[in-house]
């Protein structure tokens, strides 16, 4: 199957044109979703189509015609083969719950991706990498984040890793602008609060002190501003006055791992389109 | 705006054909969703498209072409003008929470429909009808349900009511096969359990005795088999050992009224397609 | 039934002592909950007990002994007769959904309270007050909030209203410090966001712009700092990229009215104890 | 800490008496909950108290006095040391998600228990047992369930395992009455539906065919009647028309593992009291 994601300034006839291109290329449309930001002045159009191509030639024709169409309609599009696994580097610090959830969902085929290495600023989770026979890149703390990241990048090169996206699975170190851009912003982070509540450090302590009745977790793309990238998925869990900080953390971990895994699933299935620091998600 | 709902046995080219018809008729597609039951042998295709017609002539052309197309593709389709309110008859017995929720959501424009009358087998809620200046049809209990229903139908005629669908907002009387069919199965019921758990009478008492930890409500289309029609919407609320039957009922009422209002909203916006005793819902 | 709420610095023997006092006074304990903030240095103890008194004399004895006990243990306690309805003044502006939910839950006995008047800075909801035969106090906008509040207080006096607590059911005007204190902080507000996210004005617009995937509502006691009083109850509803601000508001209203009604219910049943700008809630 | 769970026919003075016994034994009550089934004719009383004993002698005194008290009040009680881990045998078939969740929550100390062995009617999950260095008891299918169970029991004896309770973590084989009783009904099962909906085999297929909008999972104690023991915990997840059976299973697995882990947590913390085929749960 092929997934087409597509976006452009909205105008009449887009669906008809794209459908015609697909039909003429012999594509059998399995699933299709579209959405337009309805604001009259500068509406923007988004589409996700899953189709079965008839032949490689047909697919090439489609690609070519979409290219032509896109330059006219000022569109961005992407064709992705769903049978190819995306390759992820998973960054962790000391906590293992998100990492284990990703590994388990991968091994049970609930997540369709390759995990090509585990990166950490601590060596605590080395045994996990070993038991799953995954390269473990240990890049201990440096005052200068750039130095630390250079070390990571060198290891990527040395190991000849091809990386499509990065998952920050409770990686407790802010990445540099430079590093973020080198992954074209394909970096998914899990923040342990219901953003924009409690950004920054120790959100559960903040939540406890504030006396909120729900805590949450937020998976988002990473941009240069801390905890401010486009939100992909959020969820919450109920807490009460009797929950101390440890219990809040325990409950929170369950939400964190599920929210992160959900966001990764959406990403691997090309269901997310970023626009204006927000996400359009075709579920 | 016009809503097109469309379904037919799945085959290649449906989206392209329909999109072409719409484009040629000058339609501006605002929203579109489709779905196919993926089973290879007898896949079925469903689509909902919202579009702005260019002109009445354009709309007529679209209608005509869809007619031709449908006879070839063995399709069913419907074009609905979203500016026309659907007309509902609301049936109640003694409980008022669902009725009030519908009336309130209607008056706040959260539900876009006309309530043309209130029908009841009791006269307890007459004052509600009066305060909203709605005809109240009182059809007290008869051993013979048909007689009771005849009385209701006569009142419909006498009052010259045009009725698009029926909402059973806690109407505690089983309707006859004949009555159900006379509304083309456009009858939405709220059942106060998470069906198929606890069908029939006194579901909260059954739930209490069973010791479940959640109770739910189910909005469904009514068919000839009791509590077995296509499910539109369900939701649940948590209960615990300390909740007696009254407290379970109290919590349940909140879910009931919200689930029913949600189902009615989906219906009034032509978001539901029935197929094989199930519902496809384009949200 | 009598509800005893009780709190004091924690130390050994409190439960035994209080239980003994109740037992000797002939009380039959129906329900009991306790909680201690477990921090070793200055743990604080909270308790809520529901009991059936044997006689008025027994109840008086209990009251007297608790008084003695409290001065020794530095405790605060309150005995409340559950058969007496608390009297509420409901403040509104233009939106009616919270008001209607309170009125409906009251009339269906799901909320056990008296609503003694409706106060508003607009006259839009006057007809609602009339249809429920409730005094409507119209206090239109003044630059000087104090003047506006004086007008309200004068009406309270003129109508000889006894008011136990105030419900701000979407009252869009900040109250003065003086007014808040005159109700001993027994003022419950509904804020239409998941605090501390989006305090202040137009939280749904903020939520839309931020692209969050959930919106919430927060019921809290009002203190002198805007939207910062002790949180009583919170809940959320899922939104997605397709929801514009109107749809977010519509979904939000459902959460708002339920969260406010829940908080009011907890208050009327004496289930809330405030401590350190947080709430202990015995459900 | 010591947990006291206690239940007896309700009558006046129970709390006072038990509190007095604890106070005289030097206990410091940390947490206390009680509940009474309020039905006038045969009300039953339940209590859970967590306390810090002053000394072993004090604890012994408390135990002795409670014994005396219990024979008078016809009560059942249990004193449990929270520092002692309960020992579990985990039964599995082919699916690993519940097993992994238990192992992870144990290793992260979110669950406080010992897993003493893994039992299976298949050998697929042997490598998991090996990687966690746990005994793996392989008891392949026999027509005669009793024979299969005898094999398991023999292995328990040979390995000299002490087992406090059994967790059926997706064990797809019905246990004999005899086996169930030999564990005093301390057997927790996870059923992959929202019971009483869809008992028996293939609940997700049933759910798909019925077209429900939510699927759930139920953790319950096992009794002699299939899928009919006292319910401990339930939760649900939303599905829609687009989810095929595989996707429903995938979503369901997330609920299953969390509901089972929650039930196990409640059990290990002595928060569950069984009564009349239902559970009282002190959270």
């Amino acid at each position: 199957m092929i997934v087409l994601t597509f976006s452009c300034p909205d105008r009449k006839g887009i669906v008809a044109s794209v459908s015609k291109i697909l039909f003429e290329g012999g594509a059998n449309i399995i699933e299709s979703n579209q959405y337009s930001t309805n604001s009259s002045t500068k509406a923007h159009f988004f589409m996700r189509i899953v189709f079965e191509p008839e032949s490689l030639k047909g697919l090439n024709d489609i690609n070519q015609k979409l290219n032509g169409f896109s330059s006219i309609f000022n569109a961005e599009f992407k064709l992705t083969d769903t049978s190819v696994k995306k390759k992820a580097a998973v960054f962790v610090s000391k906590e293992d719950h998100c990492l284990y959830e990703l590994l388990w969902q991968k091994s049970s085929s609930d997540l369709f991706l390759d995990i090509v290495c585990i990166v950490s600023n601590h060596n605590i989770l080395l045994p996990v990498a070993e038991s799953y026979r995954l390269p473990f890149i240990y890049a201990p703390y440096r005052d200068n984040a750039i130095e630390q990241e250079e070390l990571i990048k060198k290891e990527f090169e040395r190991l000849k890793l091809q990386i499509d996206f990065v998952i920050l699975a409770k990686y407790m170190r802010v990445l540099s602008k430079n590093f973020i851009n080198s992954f074209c912003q394909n970096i998914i982070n899990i923040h342990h609060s219901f953003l924009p509540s409690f950004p920054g450090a120790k959100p559960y302590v903040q939540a406890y002190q504030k006396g909120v009745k729900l805590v949450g977790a937020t998976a988002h793309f990473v941009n240069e501003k801390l905890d401010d990238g486009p939100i992909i998925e959020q969820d919450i869990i109920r807490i009460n006055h009797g929950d101390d900080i440890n219990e809040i953390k325990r409950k929170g971990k369950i939400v964190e791992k599920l929210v992160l895994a959900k966001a990764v699933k959406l990403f691997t299935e090309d269901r997310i389109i970023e626009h204006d620091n927000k996400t359009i998600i075709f579920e």
Side-chain angles (χ1 to χ4, degrees), chain A:
Chain A
M1 302 276 204
I2 304 294
V3 177
L4 164 65
T5 53
F6 182 98
S7 64
C8 66
D10 201 2
R11 53 189 270 191
K12 210 180 282 187
I14 300 170
V15 178
S17 307
V18 174
S19 302
K20 190 162 166 279
I21 290 172
L22 292 172
F23 182 64
E24 289 172 357
N28 186 24
I29 295 178
I30 301 299
E31 206 185 316
S32 145
N33 272 287
Q34 60 172 85
Y35 165 68
S36 174
T37 61
N38 222 353
S39 54
S40 48
T41 49
K42 43 169 218 133
H44 210 82
F45 173 88
F46 306 87
M47 186 160 56
R48 178 182 184 270
I49 291 179
V50 184
F51 65 91
E52 228 165 347
E54 201 176 42
S55 62
L56 193 57
K57 195 196 158 301
L59 185 55
N60 283 337
D61 285 357
I62 288 169
N63 191 14
Q64 215 163 357
K65 284 185 187 168
L66 283 173
N67 256 316
F69 181 82
S70 291
S71 52
I72 301 166
F73 277 63
N74 198 19
E76 285 175 58
F77 80 96
K78 215 169 57 178
L79 289 166
T80 317
D81 185 338
T82 63
S83 69
V84 179
K85 287 182 181 172
K86 289 186 172 46
K87 291 175 192 318
V90 179
F91 284 48
V92 293
S93 288
K94 294 177 178 171
E95 288 181 290
D96 61 6
H97 56 290
C98 288
L99 175 60
Y100 269 122
E101 186 70 19
L102 294 172
L103 289 166
W104 171 73
Q105 290 209 13
K106 178 196 145 19
S107 71
S108 65
S109 301
D110 291 329
L111 282 178
F112 185 74
L113 85 169
D114 267 344
I115 294 175
V116 297
C117 67
I118 295 172
V119 178
S120 186
N121 51 350
H122 295 273
N123 57 14
I124 292 174
L125 299 180
L126 171 59
V128 182
E130 284 175 350
S131 77
Y132 280 82
R133 289 155 209 263
L134 290 170
F136 185 84
I137 298 173
Y138 174 41
Y141 180 79
R142 302 281 172 89
D143 273 353
N144 185 338
I146 309 282
E147 275 179 42
Q148 204 177 345
E149 292 168 356
E150 283 310 314
L151 199 155
I152 296 169
K153 282 187 183 171
K154 262 180 203 145
E155 283 295 289
F156 285 170
E157 276 165 39
R158 194 181 61 80
L159 295 163
K160 294 188 177 125
L161 300 178
Q162 186 206 323
I163 293 168
D164 298 312
F165 72 118
V166 168
I167 305 171
L168 305 181
K170 303 288 287 179
Y171 183 65
M172 302 285 105
R173 179 86 168 124
V174 178
L175 296 170
S176 74
K177 179 177 161 173
N178 189 42
F179 190 88
I180 292 167
N181 290 333
S182 68
F183 284 95
C184 306
Q185 300 175 2
N186 285 326
I187 302 178
I188 297 174
N189 182 44
I190 181 73
H191 180 80
H192 43 313
S193 89
F194 181 62
L195 287 172
S197 291
F198 315 130
K202 298 194 186 264
Y204 290 135
V205 176
Q206 292 182 61
Y208 175 78
Q209 283 162 352
K210 178 67 191 161
V212 292
K213 300 299 183 187
L214 310 166
V215 291
T218 303
H220 62 96
F221 286 116
V222 174
N223 65 12
E224 298 170 15
K225 234 170 119 186
L226 182 64
D227 296 335
D228 195 46
I231 292 169
I232 302 168
E233 170 70 0
Q234 303 188 290
D235 209 351
I236 54 94
I237 195 165
R238 194 159 278 273
I239 61 170
N240 61 50
H241 64 263
D243 294 329
D244 61 15
I245 290 174
N246 282 333
E247 180 64 9
I248 294 175
K249 277 184 188 162
R250 193 193 66 77
K251 288 186 172 176
K253 282 193 290 185
I254 289 172
V255 186
E256 289 168 27
K257 69 182 187 181
L258 296 180
V259 166
L260 178 61
K262 174 84 184 286
V264 169
K265 185 171 168 65
L266 294 169
F267 183 84
T268 58
E269 296 174 357
D270 294 287
R271 295 182 180 276
I272 315 174
I273 303 180
E274 285 188 57
H275 182 70
D276 255 3
N277 208 37
K278 302 206 280 191
T279 59
I280 285 81
I281 292 179
F282 291 118
E283 269 190 280

